[in-house]
Amino acid sequence: MIEKDRIRPLNAKKIINRKYVIYWMQASPRASYNHALEYAVSEANKSDKPLIVFFGITDHFPSANLRHYTFMLEGLQEVKDSLEERGIKLVVRYNSPEFEIAELAREGGLIVVDRGYTRIQRYWRRCVAGLIDCPIIQVESDAIVPVETVSLKEEYTAASIRPKIQRFLRDYLRPLRPIKLKRESLRYRLETFDISNLDRALKRLQIDHSVAPIADLKGGLSHAETLLDEFIVNKLKYYDSLRNDPSRDFVSHLSPYLHFGQISPIQVALEVMTKRGTGPDAFLEELIIRRELSLNFVNYNVDYDRFEGLPEWCRATLKKHESDKREYLYTLAQLEKGETHDSYWNAAQKEMVGTGKMAGYMRMYWGKKIIEWVERPEEAYRYALYLNDKYELDGRDPNGYAGVAWCFGKHDRPWSERPVFGNIRYMNADGLKRKFDIEKYVRQVNDRCRAAEAR
Ligand code: FAD
């Protein structure tokens, strides 16, 4: 059963008796643990119509490049096969989805769509809701507890949102069983963009091809499930104590799959909860509380990706210290190439550029140093987001917007005042040396980047 508060009509139109029910798959491209898909199947069964799943590929998704499109299409190839096993046709079109879905909707009596939080995702849904003459129903499929059920306002910190999420977890952390489709749709002939040959499909896209795909992190649910199994068997029990150490690999690496909607956070949480010890608690705090705090931030703060979106005290303290003398100043080009005096920061930057994923603890250090080395805080904010979104496989995500904002004080408290940072929390290289074998991390990054280049 799908909880009622996951379901929201985006317009007030009445269901029309037409050929198909259509699921516009956008934020949650997966064939299991997908509430929007199961809702669409049940609606198709109810009206005795075949279900078509549509996915639109636009060249113009903000900040996305070859690295991201490769990962997305790898995942979509798996989705196509899994849907076919359930008798459901996937129609892929190479066009901005809001136009294409409006076109397809001429034969659809009902459109179902999953939920996205970023500006463009909301804009697309609004456009379609206005353009079509049949209903469009949004079904939340990527939050464990729907954002508005948790809170109707922007929350201050993890501490303020935690109890509001926790009281619902028992009701929302439940397996989602696939519903059998009554009328299969594979036999319908509908024009579709061919994704069977990945290289050929990618070459056709007019996108930024300058950022290389990541060969050893492939998109798709099967890869996410392999990582999840490995994590549960080998890493989870050490997660609480070792996850922050950048020279030891005790994290799940699931963020790109969660970002692209290729695995459901509910599936991940339920599988992790079968284990005992402190590992699951620490992991669930990140996966549920921190991740859903990010969704809350992006949902309620229109400036979630701008300096202006920070709390007043953060902006005021950073502006007050804007003209403080900075020991080092770097341009965006120097930062992008990892050419600073700080070998730890350079390693983190290199890791992100070369492997598509920076160690979690280093992401905090990395963001903090950009504040220290760039003249104006607004500029530092833009640089951090630009680099994160361009190179991280999991970039352009609510977690990225909240993560960068955290470096600038969001979801944190004021600390004692110091130059440049004012009351914003500060981090330094001595802390890295004290806590970890940070030289080992630098060597590992160099080795991994060399290996990636050789491939
Ligand atoms: P694990 O430790 O295995 O955690 C499991 C999952 O929990 C993650 O996949 C993620 O969904 C969630 N999670 C973990 N840490 C956080 C956190 N601090 N906030 C919110 N959710 C969390 N995360 C992104 O997904 N995309 C980004 O673009 C991104 N940019 C960041 C930028 C900065 C400057 C900072 C400080 C953090 C950023 N994060 C981002 C949050 C966090 O660093 C990553 O989610 C985490 O490192 C992903 O690795 P993992 O999947 O192996 O994490």
Side-chain angles (χ1 to χ4, degrees), residues 33-52:
Y33 269 96
N34 182 337
H35 297 82
L37 174 62
E38 300 312 331
Y39 179 82
V41 172
S42 68
E43 286 298 309
N45 287 349
K46 227 193 281 175
S47 56
D48 200 25
K49 304 278 179 201
L51 171 70
I52 299 289

Side-chain angles (χ1 to χ4, degrees), residues 88 95-96 128-130 145 194 229 241 255 270 324 409 416:
I88 303 171
N95 194 1
S96 202
V128 173
V145 187
D194 184 9
D229 288 348
S241 51
S255 56
L270 288 176
D324 291 357
S416 50

Side-chain angles (χ1 to χ4, degrees), residues 231 235 239 243-244 249-259 265 268 282-295 352 357-368 370 384-385 388-389 392-408 411 427:
F231 175 70
K235 301 179 181 178
Y239 184 81
R243 69 177 179 280
N244 281 337
D249 179 9
F250 284 100
V251 294
S252 69
H253 299 292
L254 286 173
S255 56
Y257 301 91
L258 287 162
H259 164 70
V268 176
F283 182 79
L284 295 172
E285 166 73 16
E286 304 296 343
L287 176 76
I288 303 177
I289 309 299
R290 291 281 164 181
R291 184 171 176 276
E292 305 219 344
L293 179 63
S294 305
L295 297 182
M352 176 173 74
K357 193 166 177 297
M358 190 191 297
Y361 193 88
M362 294 308 288
R363 286 177 115 156
M364 300 191 252
Y365 180 77
W366 174 88
K368 293 283 183 190
I370 297 180
L385 270 186
N388 191 74
D389 286 354
E392 294 282 9
L393 260 178
D394 64 15
R396 306 162 302 117
D397 186 271
N399 278 350
Y401 302 120
V404 168
W406 178 87
C407 295
F408 288 72
H411 297 146
M427 287 172 80

Side-chain angles (χ1 to χ4, degrees), residues 59 94 193-194 199-207 209:
D59 290 329
Y94 177 27
F193 180 73
D194 184 9
D199 285 342
R200 204 169 51 210
L202 287 163
K203 274 200 190 103
R204 283 187 61 192
L205 305 184
Q206 308 280 307
I207 54 170
H209 283 255

